[in-house]
Amino acid sequence: MSKIIVITSGKGGVGKTTTSASIATGLAKRGHKTVVIDFDVGLRNLDLIMNCERRVVYDFVNVINGEATLNQALIKDKHTDKLHILPASQTRDKEALTKEGVEKVLNELAETFEYIVCDSPAGIEHGALMALYYADEAIVVTNPEVSSVRDSDRILGILQSKSRRAEMGLDPVKEHLLLTRYSPERVIKGEMLSVQDVEEILAVPLLGVIPESQAVLTASNQGVPVIHDDLSDAGQAYQDAVARLLGEEREHRFLDIQKKGFFSRVFGGKA
Amino acid sequence: MPQATADLFASPCLQFKGSMVPLTTLELLYFDPEKFSQALQEKIRQAPNLFKNLPLVLSLDKFAEDINDLNFLQIRELCSAQNLQLIGVRATDPTQIAAAESAGLAVLQPSRGRQDNTEEPSQNLQKEPQQESQQEPQASPEAAPQVESPDKEVLDSAAPANGQTANRIIRTPIRSGQQVYAPGGDLIVMAPVSAGAEILADGNIHVYGPLRGRALAGVRGNTEAMVFCQSLEAELVSIAGQYKISEDLQGNHWKKPSLLKLEDDRLVIREL
């Protein structure tokens, strides 16, 4: 039984694509056959983060329109054995995603893959709605600041009213909160909302807290999802999040300033 | 001619007044003259006094056959044979209206369903919503009422299915951008109400959680309505049109269990 997980946020630039790449990689590394789909038609980025942009021939929209088969469009990840990427089209717009077309592709993917990770575009328009419509679970990526939290709240409302599960009266979409770019130093200075603040406002179970880290930027630029970076705090935090997604109990880390360990991790991550 | 009578004759001899008269609606599902008479007899036998000369309005909302084949005169005669007075038909279709008129029946509006309850709730109507007639329970849950929200995003109705009450209970968080309305009753929310969400009720509003969005109670003018919440952090609270915005609410009661009500037409906050 395959599971469809949407990575969404409402707001842009909070780390959806980074999270999609890392969560999908993490699931595959744990032995689950996983595909990650870029729903950001027209602004495709996932292929860059996954360093496969030079191998894109056909894309998601080609498959929907029947111009290519799924096997022609799927790109096998170089780093991780059980991971495939379905890139978005850069030359089309979001309207190319039809409900029927998306459903057809998801159904076909469900025959081979255990996890289907959908990287949602920002906003609450058509593209984002298509990404979340068929979801079984949702990871809501949030930065610890008020506008991001507000937008996450909005998207949570949409998940529970406009998804297929909501429309058909099935069990609701399972919600997870992933707090990214978290900086304990700035929380103490009062410049950032704390984990407790965000949890209190959104009332969604916390999947993980990804600390603000140089390693994330480095990883994006190199096209290697940060979860591969075992030495970095962000990489470890994503590994914890994947473990929790698979039902393991893990204590939340990187919530407090850890002077000694913190610097060694940053330098370790760069090495 | 006595003076009083003369005065009387000086004024117009009639006047029109609007009034609500309870009427019994006869809902026709399909028409078969024999079965129709039998069913009527059966009903009357159960309560002969109640049905004696009872005025009836024929409703065809649930009529399954071709309405144009209906003979209103025949139905009317079958009714009067049982001492029932068919006085009107609820219809919109021009052919039906013509047929009803030629049978000497009044034409009334069909029972209004969904649209009827979607009146703009923020309008401050001074009267309680009127019932159309006694036979129509107001605001049945399925007719209930999804308020037009900017993007028509409304939670599923959690109203009880038995139609006994129009209260609405919501157990999941109400998120930014969502709007939930309890027409004709109280709204009970057993979860947080987020900033950017809007909750409305004709009656009271109870929030067992933080109230961070907008809460409007007594939207049809019920000045007795109140708002209860476990933590007052609202963007706006309104009762029967009298409102306070967040700035005015941030006093001693902010983030505390509170009760808001009208006193002398002013919105006041009390400790809960």
Side-chain angles (χ1 to χ4, degrees):
Chain A
M1 187 56 194
S2 84
K3 226 177 226 173
I4 302 175
I5 303 173
V6 62
I7 316 289
T8 187
S9 71
K11 194 168 161 54
V14 295
K16 283 184 295 299
T17 302
T18 301
T19 298
S20 298
S22 280
I23 296 283
T25 301
L27 289 167
K29 279 175 88 174
R30 301 278 304 247
H32 300 282
K33 218 163 173 325
T34 304
V35 59
V36 53
I37 311 175
D38 191 351
F39 272 77
D40 206 346
V41 178
L43 289 169
R44 102 182 168 211
N45 284 154
L46 184 69
D47 51 328
L48 293 173
I49 308 271
M50 307 282 294
N51 196 17
C52 64
E53 77 275 14
R54 286 184 298 276
R55 290 191 286 151
V56 175
V57 183
Y58 294 107
D59 56 53
F60 191 16
V61 174
N62 291 139
V63 180
I64 287 177
N65 293 342
E67 296 151 4
T69 66
L70 203 47
N71 279 331
Q72 286 175 306
L74 283 174
I75 300 171
K76 197 172 172 312
D77 186 63
K78 273 186 184 161
H79 305 282
T80 317
D81 199 24
K82 295 192 164 177
L83 180 62
H84 284 75
I85 300 128
L86 183 55
S89 170
Q90 184 71 349
T91 52
R92 310 294 272 274
D93 56 35
K94 308 264 191 297
E95 305 309 312
L97 302 173
T98 60
K99 223 179 225 181
E100 298 71 31
V102 172
E103 183 175 27
K104 196 188 79 187
V105 174
L106 290 176
N107 283 342
E108 207 178 326
L109 288 170
E111 289 168 15
T112 25
F113 292 97
E114 278 179 79
Y115 286 96
I116 302 171
V117 177
C118 303
D119 180 20
S120 171
I124 52 171
E125 282 80 33
H126 184 73
L129 292 181
M130 284 301 104
L132 66 79
Y133 187 75
Y134 294 101
D136 300 308
E137 300 193 16
I139 297 175
V140 177
V141 183
T142 308
N143 287 170
E145 47 105 9
V146 283
S147 63
S148 175
V149 172
R150 172 74 69 94
D151 291 357
S152 294
D153 193 53
R154 183 85 169 88
I155 209 83
L156 285 162
I158 292 173
L159 275 165
Q160 300 310 347
S161 63
K162 291 200 176 161
S163 61
R164 185 185 65 101
R165 285 181 168 270
E167 282 184 0
M168 302 190 50
L170 304 170
D171 289 341
V173 177
K174 193 173 172 196
E175 303 162 335
H176 305 277
L177 172 64
L178 188 76
L179 209 54
T180 55
R181 311 197 64 171
Y182 193 72
S183 163
E185 291 86 355
R186 298 189 60 195
V187 172
I188 285 180
K189 283 189 209 158
E191 296 169 356
M192 203 179 246
L193 294 175
S194 70
V195 180
Q196 292 75 24
D197 291 340
V198 179
E199 272 190 294
E200 219 248 324
I201 296 171
L202 292 178
V204 170
L206 187 66
L207 181 69
V209 178
I210 313 298
E212 171 89 326
S213 164
Q214 195 64 42
V216 174
L217 191 64
T218 313
S220 293
N221 287 333
Q222 290 175 346
V224 184
V226 70
I227 195 168
H228 283 300
D229 190 347
D230 294 331
L231 296 173
S232 72
D233 46 2
Q236 293 175 26
Y238 272 119
Q239 288 169 7
D240 286 356
V242 170
R244 289 188 202 103
L245 193 61
L246 293 169
E248 283 177 34
E249 292 273 341
R250 288 212 183 172
E251 209 174 317
H252 288 282
R253 298 190 276 170
F254 317 114
L255 303 185
D256 304 307
I257 304 173
Q258 292 158 306
K259 279 230 156 65
K260 206 172 131 209
F262 183 71
F263 287 105
S264 62
R265 263 198 303 280
V266 170
F267 292 122
K270 279 182 175 173
Chain B
M1 196 183 289
Q3 188 59 34
T5 320
D7 284 354
L8 183 66
F9 275 89
S11 56
C13 78
L14 57 81
Q15 56 184 343
F16 285 99
K17 276 191 164 176
S19 66
M20 293 280 158
V21 184
L23 279 177
T24 304
T25 307
L26 182 71
E27 245 177 12
L28 201 56
L29 306 177
Y30 63 95
F31 183 64
D32 175 284
E34 221 157 89
K35 281 191 178 171
F36 183 82
S37 293
Q38 268 176 14
L40 278 185
Q41 267 173 358
E42 181 66 21
K43 283 280 170 204
I44 293 168
R45 208 166 41 79
Q46 291 168 8
N49 288 330
L50 181 70
F51 283 101
K52 199 170 181 196
N53 279 323
L54 187 73
L56 286 181
V57 172
L58 187 65
S59 160
L60 300 171
D61 291 347
K62 294 184 182 161
F63 194 65
E65 294 176 302
D66 187 357
I67 287 175
N68 294 325
D69 294 344
L70 263 186
N71 184 344
F72 290 130
L73 262 181
Q74 188 187 9
I75 297 175
R76 187 181 177 185
E77 274 158 20
L78 289 172
C79 287
S80 67
Q82 312 281 347
N83 266 333
L84 294 168
Q85 302 298 327
L86 186 63
I87 58 164
V89 179
R90 310 186 103 174
T92 44
D93 184 76
T95 29
Q96 285 174 47
I97 293 177
E101 280 171 349
S102 70
L105 294 169
V107 177
L108 291 96
Q109 287 291 310
S111 115
R112 288 173 297 170
R114 208 160 262 269
Q115 297 101 327
D116 186 40
N117 286 315
T118 53
E119 277 175 57
E120 195 49 45
S122 39
Q123 273 176 357
N124 192 354
L125 304 181
Q126 283 311 313
K127 279 180 221 149
E128 286 296 306
Q130 295 166 329
Q131 278 177 250
E132 256 186 80
S133 77
Q134 282 188 347
Q135 275 67 33
E136 294 215 303
Q138 61 171 9
S140 62
E142 66 270 29
Q146 313 238 314
V147 179
E148 289 290 314
S149 77
D151 47 6
K152 300 194 178 60
E153 202 183 285
V154 178
L155 290 184
D156 287 342
S157 168
N162 57 14
Q164 292 301 302
T165 157
N167 294 342
R168 210 170 159 193
I169 304 177
I170 306 284
R171 293 181 174 82
T172 52
I174 302 180
R175 305 286 184 183
S176 177
Q178 290 184 309
Q179 195 183 39
V180 178
Y181 177 37
D186 289 3
L187 178 64
I188 299 146
V189 183
M190 300 163 69
V193 176
S194 295
E198 189 169 74
I199 52 176
L200 310 101
D202 288 347
N204 307 306
I205 291 177
H206 310 253
V207 181
Y208 299 99
L211 168 57
R212 303 191 174 106
R214 297 156 64 95
L216 296 91
V219 291
R220 296 214 194 190
N222 179 5
T223 52
E224 301 296 308
M226 292 189 260
V227 174
F228 306 82
C229 60
Q230 253 177 6
S231 177
L232 177 64
E233 304 169 38
E235 294 173 322
L236 176 143
V237 176
S238 161
I239 292 171
Q242 299 289 329
Y243 67 90
K244 274 192 193 317
I245 55 171
S246 176
E247 274 184 0
D248 309 327
L249 295 169
Q250 293 184 18
N252 294 334
H253 299 279
W254 192 246
K255 298 201 175 180
K256 295 202 180 108
S258 311
L259 149 68
L260 295 97
K261 59 175 178 175
L262 288 185
E263 269 176 19
D264 302 326
D265 228 25
R266 282 172 46 104
L267 188 66
V268 296
I269 315 172
R270 297 275 178 262
E271 196 179 332
L272 193 61

